[in-house]
Amino acid sequence: IGNPDAQESEAREVKDLITEEMQRLIEETDLDADMLRRLLRAEIEAGQIDVESEGRTIIIRIREKGSFTSGSAQLDIAFLAVLDKTGLALNEIKGSIFIEGHTDNVPIDNARYGSNWDLSAARAVAVAEHLLEGPKMDPIRLTISGHADTRPQAPNNSWEGRAQNRRVEVIVKQPLDESRSALIQEMRATNPEAVKALDDTGLMTRDFENE
């Protein structure tokens, strides 16, 4: 059966090791987000872009203001240079990239877009296509989706709230490397209680695990 005290001590050591590694990885993600904030400082101050990080996820939130004409998925020419800068930075950051389009809840029905689903998806595609025109951007990293008004960031009962909801989000999810992922999978099999303790800290999320 083995020595229970020794097994518990080993489990604590592995848990502490994984916790330290995860905290270090989160700090790396924070540094990547800070780099993006410095690079896009002017656009952030102008209210065109937000950059957030949580755990191993970075969100670059592109506002409609200055990027798209209202009701259109045509990127403003002046905004293309911003996307060029963003693409060069993304090439320096590891992780899968999810490009998601969002709208407010005001129905659209014009000659080109029959619904907010059409518009949100078209805007996500427009951002992705321009990023792919840049050097070194690997298309295998990208996943594109449109969510219409199903994931509002703010209530749609004011002009300001609707403006916040009209956006494209470029989400970078940075996983563990293979060795750390294998260690966690081994722990799940051999010491699920230790992994549960990590789950309870909020550190163990899907962001950390390879799909």
Side-chain angles (χ1 to χ4, degrees):
I1 299 176
N3 186 334
D5 291 338
Q7 290 178 349
E8 183 178 347
S9 176
E10 181 181 1
R12 278 198 305 270
E13 290 177 4
V14 174
K15 174 188 170 184
D16 290 344
L17 174 63
I18 292 177
T19 301
E20 290 172 7
E21 287 295 320
M22 288 183 175
Q23 293 287 9
R24 186 180 66 78
L25 289 170
I26 289 173
E27 290 172 3
E28 289 180 3
T29 299
D30 288 341
L31 288 174
D32 287 339
D34 286 342
M35 180 267 289
L36 284 164
R37 291 187 188 100
R38 290 193 299 270
L39 181 70
L40 301 170
R41 179 178 177 181
E43 289 76 23
I44 291 172
E45 291 178 350
Q48 292 178 286
I49 282 181
D50 299 326
V51 177
E52 297 180 0
S53 65
E54 181 178 356
R56 287 284 280 169
T57 298
I58 299 171
I59 301 175
I60 305 167
R61 190 171 288 115
I62 300 170
R63 301 295 180 187
E64 181 184 64
K65 175 184 176 182
S67 57
F68 294 99
T69 302
S70 179
S72 169
Q74 181 71 40
L75 283 162
D76 287 357
I77 293 176
F79 194 74
L80 298 182
V82 180
L83 280 183
D84 291 338
K85 287 195 298 183
T86 304
L88 289 173
L90 290 173
N91 285 336
E92 303 301 318
I93 297 174
K94 295 180 180 178
S96 300
I97 301 172
F98 298 81
I99 302 177
E100 302 181 351
H102 303 268
T103 69
D104 60 24
N105 68 343
V106 178
I108 186 173
D109 186 6
N110 59 31
R112 186 154 192 183
Y113 308 105
S115 71
N116 283 335
W117 291 101
D118 290 343
L119 179 60
S120 63
R123 286 184 168 180
V125 168
V127 170
E129 287 182 339
H130 191 78
L131 290 176
L132 288 170
E133 290 176 2
K136 300 182 181 179
M137 179 59 70
D138 186 353
I140 201 170
R141 296 179 68 190
L142 303 186
T143 300
I144 303 167
S145 57
H147 298 283
D149 63 339
T150 62
R151 299 184 183 183
Q153 188 186 6
N156 278 298
N157 56 9
S158 68
W159 182 91
E160 292 81 3
R162 290 191 294 274
Q164 286 189 57
N165 293 332
R166 297 192 297 270
R167 68 201 190 276
V168 173
E169 293 182 346
V170 180
I171 302 170
V172 184
K173 293 190 175 183
Q174 301 180 308
L176 288 171
D177 61 29
E178 290 185 3
S179 61
R180 295 187 182 98
S181 184
L183 178 59
I184 290 175
Q185 293 300 334
E186 180 181 352
M187 278 193 67
R188 286 196 187 280
T190 61
N191 199 316
E193 289 302 316
V195 176
K196 183 180 184 302
L198 286 175
D199 286 334
D200 294 340
T201 69
L203 289 172
M204 289 290 290
T205 68
R206 288 179 62 84
D207 296 348
F208 286 108
E209 307 219 28
N210 292 323
E211 295 293 339

